[in-house]
Amino acid sequence: NAGVTQTPKFQVLKTGQSMTLQCAQDMNHNSMYWYRQDPGMGLRLIYYSASEGTTDKGEVPNGYNVSRLNKREFSLRLESAAPSQTSVYFCASSEKGGELFFGEGSRLTVL
Amino acid sequence: QKEVEQNSGPLSVPEGAIASLNCTYSDRGSQSFFWYRQYSGKSPELIMFIYSNGDKEDGRFTAQLNKASQYVSLLIRDSQPSDSATYLCAVKSSGGSYIPTFGRGTSLIVHP
């Protein structure tokens, strides 16, 4: 049982490049989330999807887009990466506001 | 703006002592409270949740909730070096939202 799988685990980008972080869960959860974590800042919500077919902005959505491809997959896209987007990104899933299950994280550096 | 506050620490305790981690929240309508543990370089994992006022015990861990005072705490008895991690408090409000709000976390160091 893989739980929540994120790819890639590490990525280095140049300013202005684009990339997509992929996330898939095999727990049949309805809700999925993208967080970023910076030193001393805790977990900040970028976007979430309460159920298949819906997405909503979180606390820090600027510079990001998301797609809920199906119930299993929720991707995060950076259209034009900026150094301020250097962070660790976590995907998570849950069922009706219960426990969040996190992926292993994706460490992104933007030069 | 719903806020969840935690002392960033580090909280340093000797092995075998009780570690007490505290969290306050601003939304009086909050219904669900979670404690996550995050080891350095790893993802958060749930260790306790609590919904009702009072204490909830699970092994060496006790979560305490006081809704009137709007705080939730986590006690770790017989602390071990392996408990050294950052502890994140998460609070979910009522109203159908499935979005928990996280505190910034408290770093715990258990020294031998």
Side-chain angles (χ1 to χ4, degrees):
Chain A
N1 189 348
V4 179
T5 303
Q6 289 180 235
T7 57
K9 290 183 169 50
F10 299 93
Q11 185 72 50
V12 178
L13 292 177
K14 294 181 180 179
T15 297
Q17 288 185 318
S18 62
M19 76 160 297
T20 300
L21 298 176
Q22 307 284 356
C23 176
Q25 52 95 6
D26 62 5
M27 294 171 284
N28 202 37
H29 287 162
N30 280 302
S31 302
M32 297 187 73
Y33 314 79
W34 276 105
Y35 288 92
R36 62 178 289 174
Q37 187 173 40
D38 303 292
M41 296 299 292
L43 287 164
R44 292 186 292 172
L45 183 66
I46 305 171
Y47 271 92
Y48 67 98
S49 172
S51 60
E52 185 179 358
T54 69
T55 60
D56 285 287
K57 294 178 180 180
E59 180 185 356
V60 288
N62 290 344
Y64 306 95
N65 284 300
V66 290
S67 296
R68 184 72 183 266
L69 304 170
N70 47 55
K71 191 172 185 179
R72 290 187 63 248
E73 299 173 288
F74 188 39
S75 63
L76 178 72
R77 183 162 178 84
L78 286 70
E79 291 292 351
S80 179
S84 61
Q85 294 178 303
T86 293
S87 188
V88 179
Y89 293 84
F90 287 103
C91 177
S93 70
S94 77
E95 190 57 37
K96 293 183 178 180
E99 173 185 1
L100 287 176
F101 292 84
F102 288 87
E104 293 185 334
S106 298
R107 285 151 181 81
L108 175 65
T109 301
V110 183
L111 302 176
Chain B
Q1 180 75 9
K2 299 170 185 174
E3 295 182 347
V4 178
E5 300 287 343
Q6 294 181 257
N7 188 321
S8 62
L11 173 66
S12 181
V13 300
E15 183 175 357
I18 296 175
S20 177
L21 305 163
N22 299 312
C23 171
T24 60
Y25 58 94
S26 63
D27 182 7
R28 189 169 286 279
S30 297
Q31 296 288 323
S32 309
F33 307 85
F34 306 85
W35 283 100
Y36 290 81
R37 178 178 61 200
Q38 185 176 24
Y39 291 115
S40 180
K42 302 295 185 181
S43 58
E45 57 178 346
L46 183 74
I47 53 172
M48 290 285 291
F49 64 87
I50 187 167
Y51 301 144
S52 304
N53 272 332
D55 295 358
K56 180 181 179 182
E57 188 174 317
D58 184 1
R60 296 186 296 111
F61 299 95
T62 299
Q64 299 176 318
L65 175 61
N66 184 323
K67 288 187 177 181
S69 299
Q70 295 177 241
Y71 82 81
V72 57
S73 61
L74 179 70
L75 301 179
I76 306 175
R77 291 182 300 281
D78 189 22
S79 296
Q80 301 296 309
S82 59
D83 295 325
S84 299
T86 295
Y87 290 81
L88 301 167
C89 172
V91 176
K92 191 180 80 68
S93 60
S94 61
S97 170
Y98 297 149
I99 311 304
T101 300
F102 281 84
R104 297 187 178 190
T106 297
S107 174
L108 172 66
I109 299 172
V110 181
H111 53 87

